[in-house]
Amino acid sequence: MRVLAWVGLFVLARKGLGWLKFLFGLVRPGLDLTARYGRGSWVLVTGSTDVGSNTESFYDNILNACEGLDVSVVVNNVGVDVLGKYCSLPVKDVQKIIDVNCYPVSMLCHKFIPRLLKRKHAGVVIVSSLAGEFPMAMHNIYSASKAFTDFLARTLAYEYPSLDVLSLRPSEVQTPMTFHKQDMFTITARQCAEGLCRVLGRTAYSEGHWNHQLQGALYNAVPEGLFNHVFMHHIAPEFISKRRLRYFLKTAFC
Ligand SMILES: NC(=O)c1ccc[n+]([C@@H]2O[C@H](COP(=O)([O-])OP(=O)(O)OC[C@H]3O[C@@H](n4cnc5c(N)ncnc54)[C@H](OP(=O)(O)O)[C@@H]3O)[C@@H](O)[C@H]2O)c1
């Protein structure tokens, strides 16, 4: 009995400490990144990977093209999403998510980390997603691909402790991906970047901006089954049809 009481106390203390750490993280200012990485150093942000990106030489070319540059931070930003019930998705979209979201980040980290390790301070940011923190129905392959990037970043953070490795796990951001959706849960791209700068070097994973950190804490506190039941039956149908309408309007008039 006494052992159980001690275990219970330990679990409660851990939870309490976790919450204190979370609240502290919301208000803690970021590091001075200019001082940390050096004024004039370069930040490489990955974008379109183009045809041929599934060969090693493609990534060697990127590394070689950066030869003369003092790259201090590599931000693996590239990513695409697709929403809907898994078997209703076109196979080409499933393939695309794996190709775009998983392969380039793996290769770029493999190529750039040895070079970054030569600097006193350097960083690797992998833009994951809140959808990669727990299985999110109707996001299936996207959710899985972001869990992949999240775990990649977090394992790299252990393997290379001298690097500032960060898995950035935002919720919704006003970008072309969300068709610049605006509501109280969606932050601007600038706010997302500011959130990133506040947590880089401080932690291995974070939602970044305080708004998304709060959303992360809230969603993680809800049992996964309940979250997915509510999401699938009450939120996703409207959410996905609005997305499809925006996509239709964008493609019909562009
Ligand atoms: N927006 C959100 O709500 C949100 C939430 C959580 C996580 N994220 C993540 O944030 C990152 C940036 O997304 P975003 O919101 O800024 O979306 P975005 O504006 O659509 O940008 C996506 C990025 O991926 C690149 N890309 C798209 N299709 C590609 C393809 N077929 N091959 C190679 N590259 C391709 C784009 O390059 P080009 O510009 O050259 O096309 C762009 O750099 C992604 O990893 C996304 O998963 C976004």
Side-chain angles (χ1 to χ4, degrees):
M1 251 346 231
R2 192 174 282 184
V3 174
L4 273 184
W6 277 110
V7 171
L9 208 66
F10 177 72
V11 171
L12 275 178
R14 264 197 73 181
K15 277 234 176 282
L17 272 180
W19 276 103
L20 273 180
K21 209 174 137 199
F22 170 74
L23 292 173
F24 180 57
L26 283 178
V27 291
R28 188 166 57 168
L31 296 171
D32 180 347
L33 297 182
T34 314
R36 190 166 179 80
Y37 300 124
R39 188 176 292 281
S41 71
W42 286 76
V43 176
L44 176 74
V45 183
T46 67
S48 193
T49 43
D50 226 332
V51 184
S53 60
N54 57 354
T55 60
E56 188 182 354
S57 59
F58 182 85
Y59 298 93
D60 283 328
N61 288 343
I62 297 176
L63 194 67
N64 293 337
C66 296
E67 186 57 56
L69 303 177
D70 177 24
V71 175
S72 59
V73 183
V74 175
V75 182
N76 293 276
N77 176 62
V78 59
V80 282
D81 74 349
V82 59
L83 306 180
K85 225 169 167 180
Y86 190 56
C87 294
S88 73
L89 304 175
V91 166
K92 67 170 178 37
D93 285 356
V94 174
Q95 182 81 48
K96 186 174 168 182
I97 296 280
I98 299 168
D99 289 349
V100 175
N101 293 8
C102 302
Y103 190 75
V105 59
S106 313
M107 292 301 288
L108 277 168
C109 287
H110 198 276
K111 294 287 170 193
F112 270 92
I113 285 177
R115 185 179 288 185
L116 293 175
L117 285 170
K118 292 182 185 148
R119 296 186 102 253
K120 186 173 176 215
H121 291 294
V124 174
V125 177
I126 299 186
V127 184
S128 309
S129 169
L130 190 63
E133 284 184 41
F134 50 89
M136 198 180 273
M138 311 302 271
H139 285 68
N140 39 70
I141 190 73
Y142 179 73
S143 184
S145 74
K146 291 299 176 178
F148 174 97
T149 54
D150 185 51
F151 269 47
L152 180 65
R154 289 165 61 186
T155 50
L156 294 179
Y158 285 116
E159 290 175 19
Y160 303 101
S162 64
L163 285 182
D164 299 333
V165 183
L166 170 69
S167 168
L168 184 72
R169 321 193 291 196
S171 181
E172 290 205 288
V173 186
Q174 290 166 20
T175 66
M177 182 179 271
T178 54
F179 298 95
H180 300 281
K181 167 176 183 260
Q182 291 183 18
D183 60 32
M184 61 185 285
F185 302 110
T186 311
I187 62 172
T188 62
R190 188 186 175 87
Q191 288 173 317
C192 184
E194 284 168 353
L196 187 170
C197 292
R198 199 174 53 79
V199 295
L200 182 59
R202 294 272 197 212
T203 179
Y205 56 91
S206 171
E207 292 84 9
H209 191 267
W210 63 264
N211 180 323
H212 286 178
Q213 280 192 284
L214 286 177
Q215 284 183 52
L218 184 70
Y219 299 155
N220 276 297
V222 179
E224 192 182 293
L226 178 65
F227 176 90
N228 276 300
H229 179 83
V230 173
F231 185 76
M232 250 184 91
H233 298 287
H234 302 286
I235 301 174
E238 193 191 332
F239 180 75
I240 292 176
S241 58
K242 270 191 186 161
R243 256 296 178 103
R244 288 194 179 136
L245 179 67
R246 286 198 184 102
Y247 179 77
F248 171 76
L249 292 174
K250 188 180 166 193
T251 47
F253 297 106
C254 288

